[in-house]
Each structure stands twice: as structure tokens, then as C-alpha cells.
Amino acid sequence: MNKHKVKFIKIFKMKARRSIVISFVIFVVLIFLFYTFKFAKHYPANNDLEFQKGFFGVTFSTKFCDELGLDWKKTYLAILDDLKVKEIRLPIYWDEIEKADGVYDFSDYDFMISEGSKRGVKFIANIGWRLPRWPECHAPKWVEKRSLTVTQDRTIVMIGEVVNHYKNNKAIIAWQVENEPFLDAFGVCPPSNAGFFERELEVVRNKDSRPIVVSATGELSWWRKEALYGDIFGSTIYRVVWGNWSGYVR
């Protein structure tokens, strides 16, 4: 091997090593910056968070009470009287208000809103097909064998009925239409559909003037699409998440 070839190989190896070192340093710096700005500041693990009185509200779900084996009425009244919560997001589940085709029963939700109203509670009424808690989409059993188009049409009808029923109730300060309407990675739901979502928004706006909340996942969305639709944007935040592979992530 001549001297020129040996020299070329040495220079090439030096440059390759230098590139690897530089790439590694850049990678470490990026990890450090990501941790500093994403986790260390915005996901505090041990900090005591200060907040103004009345800053926090709750989402009250009759279904989650059932999952935990709790009497939802007793639990709800305890939230009002013991915790003295004054801000509640209330998912109004389709399969609870229209158990039979075309037959609506709002009695449970009338009770919750009435009792809350007596105590000065303000509500965000969460309405639509996709609402909090598994399986995310809560259609009644009688629509299970119907086509997607028919189910969407009946969703629109249901939303109109809910808004008509509560549009004169001053305890409701806003409507949240669907929950994370464009999140396709979670839940037992059909793929998201912007045209269908726009129809849902239209029926609410045609019947009532109160603001509309549109939400997005905090981790799996850029928020840009959701922010275009509503009057108020809401993001989901999970400070502690469990994964089978990752364990607890803060």
C-alpha cells in the first residue's frame, strides 16, 4: 500500500471519528434541552404547586363511578358538599339519555345540574358521541347494527335534543362538543371525520349562543386543527403516565 493511500485512510478514519463524536455531543445536547424545557419545567415531579382558591374543577362521570363500584348520586353530592367544587365538566352520555330509539330521559342529568345550580356550580356540558371514559364512543345499543352514516345522523339529532333541553339553563356556561374529536389512536371509535364534526358544531351554534369548547390530547396532537373550530381550546394533561414498557413517566 503506498504512502498516499495510507495517509488518505488515516484522514478518513479521523474525520469519521470526529463526525461520530460531534453527532454524539449534539444528541446529548438535544436530550438535555428536551429534558430542561419539556420535563424539568413543565412536568415537575416534586414541586408544590400553588393555585388560587376555586382554580380547579372536576369532570364528573357517572360511568366512572360505576367502574369504581360507587353510588354516583352519593359521590356527586359529596363532591358538591364536601369538596365544594364549583366548576364541573359533565359528560352527558348518549347511551344514558336515549336508551330506546327516540325516547329521551334527562332525569339523572337534570338532578345533577339542579343540585349543582343550588350550590352555585357552573357546568361545561360535554355532548356528542365521543366523550370521556372508555370506550370513548358511547352510542346506545340500538344503533350498533346501523351504518356509520345513520349513526352520525342520529348523533346530530341527539345533540340537538340535548341543546334544546338545556339551552335556557344558566348553570351551563359552555358546550364541549365531543372529547378529543381528532384522536384516532385511542378508544373504540370510527376514524375522525372533520365534516361530521362541523355538522355537530353547526347544530349547537344554530340553537344556542354560548361558547363551544374543542379539546385535543396534550401528547398526541399539535393542537392546530382543533384550535380552528371552537371558541375555547382545551388540552388534556397527564402529569403521570403508566406504560407497560416505560413504567411511570412524569
Side-chain angles (χ1 to χ4, degrees):
M1 186 178 294
N2 61 46
K3 292 181 180 180
H4 293 294
K5 275 191 174 182
V6 171
K7 187 177 180 181
F8 173 78
I9 291 171
K10 285 183 178 179
I11 293 172
F12 178 79
K13 287 182 177 179
M14 287 176 61
K15 287 185 176 180
R17 282 196 291 266
R18 189 182 303 165
S19 296
I20 292 172
V21 171
I22 292 172
S23 297
F24 178 76
V25 171
I26 291 173
F27 176 76
V28 171
V29 170
L30 289 174
I31 291 294
F32 173 77
L33 292 174
F34 182 79
Y35 173 80
T36 300
F37 292 104
K38 180 68 175 176
F39 287 101
K41 291 188 176 182
H42 300 293
Y43 292 83
N46 300 309
N47 293 351
D48 292 328
L49 303 180
E50 296 182 2
F51 57 91
Q52 296 178 349
K53 184 178 180 181
F55 179 79
F56 285 110
V58 302
T59 295
F60 181 77
S61 168
T62 54
K63 293 194 174 189
F64 195 38
C65 287
D66 291 340
E67 288 177 31
L68 296 174
L70 300 173
D71 181 304
W72 72 259
K73 279 191 178 181
K74 290 181 179 179
T75 304
Y76 180 73
L77 293 175
I79 288 172
L80 297 182
D81 296 330
D82 296 345
L83 296 182
K84 300 189 183 302
V85 170
K86 299 299 181 185
E87 307 281 345
I88 295 177
R89 178 177 69 153
L90 187 63
I92 300 177
Y93 294 112
W94 183 10
D95 56 349
E96 290 188 348
I97 61 171
E98 194 183 3
K99 293 179 180 179
D101 187 356
V103 180
Y104 291 90
D105 179 5
F106 294 101
S107 57
D108 287 344
Y109 292 97
D110 288 347
F111 170 83
M112 285 183 264
I113 294 173
S114 175
E115 292 299 316
S117 183
K118 292 175 186 176
R119 297 160 173 82
V121 174
K122 298 300 180 185
F123 294 90
I124 294 176
N126 193 183
I127 58 178
W129 183 1
R130 182 185 181 114
L131 302 181
R133 305 310 309 173
W134 190 262
E136 299 292 300
C137 285
H138 301 272
K141 290 187 179 298
W142 54 265
V143 297
E144 287 181 355
K145 295 183 179 180
R146 303 194 182 186
S147 69
L148 176 60
T149 300
V150 170
T151 303
Q152 290 175 338
D153 290 342
R154 293 311 305 264
T155 302
I156 299 299
V157 173
M158 176 271 297
I159 288 176
E161 292 287 340
V162 177
V163 177
N164 277 335
H165 187 78
Y166 289 117
K167 65 183 180 182
N168 295 319
N169 194 310
K170 295 181 180 179
I172 295 173
I173 60 171
W175 305 101
Q176 181 185 345
V177 179
E178 302 287 339
N179 184 56
E180 300 173 342
F182 298 110
L183 176 60
D184 291 328
F186 183 76
V188 184
C189 294
S192 59
N193 183 310
F196 168 60
F197 185 57
E198 289 169 0
R199 289 174 62 199
E200 292 179 290
L201 296 173
E202 183 180 12
V203 72
V204 176
R205 288 197 173 104
N206 286 341
K207 292 178 178 294
D208 193 66
S209 61
R210 275 170 286 197
I212 293 175
V213 179
V214 177
S215 65
T217 170
E219 297 82 12
L220 302 173
S221 168
W222 293 108
W223 303 353
R224 293 173 182 173
K225 189 172 185 178
E226 294 85 354
L228 295 173
Y229 287 96
D231 305 302
I232 301 168
F233 170 75
S235 171
T236 305
I237 297 175
Y238 291 94
R239 291 191 61 245
V240 181
V241 180
W242 165 262
N244 290 331
W245 298 100
S246 62
Y248 284 106
V249 177
R250 293 183 180 274

